[in-house]
Amino acid sequence: MMGLSNAQINLLRHALGLDNAKKAYRNYYAAVSTDAKEWEKLVEKGYAKNGVETKLVDYYHVSESGKRFLESIGIEGVWG
């Protein structure tokens, strides 16, 4: 497993809704240009997948590998 920065971990948690809840209730992140760069790094590492791209935002989703990674570092509720 490749290590992730705290900022990348927080992006994954936010995409799952785990910054405000104890169980994942969604799996998407609408990224603007600055966040999209970090999400592309997560895609390259296999922790995220590309979603729909629009003129304003790009959507990303946490992959199963990303959920397993979060679980491995002690983050609970990733499976909903």
Side-chain angles (χ1 to χ4, degrees):
M1 288 282 182
M2 295 182 194
L4 299 181
S5 70
N6 286 336
Q8 290 171 321
I9 291 168
N10 287 335
L11 288 173
L12 294 173
R13 290 181 68 211
H14 182 75
L16 296 172
L18 293 174
D19 48 352
N20 294 316
K22 294 185 183 214
K23 291 185 179 181
Y25 63 91
R26 65 178 181 220
N27 187 355
Y28 66 88
Y29 189 98
V32 293
S33 60
T34 53
D35 289 339
K37 292 175 185 176
E38 287 303 312
W39 276 101
E40 285 302 321
K41 292 176 188 176
L42 291 167
V43 170
E44 290 173 14
K45 293 179 179 185
Y47 295 130
K49 297 185 276 188
N50 291 78
V52 175
E53 295 180 16
T54 70
K55 290 181 181 181
L56 299 175
V57 296
D58 296 336
Y59 287 89
Y60 294 90
H61 307 280
V62 180
S63 67
E64 286 193 25
S65 295
K67 290 179 181 182
R68 284 193 299 271
F69 174 79
L70 291 174
E71 197 172 48
S72 77
I73 61 169
I75 296 176
E76 299 178 358
V78 299
W79 303 102

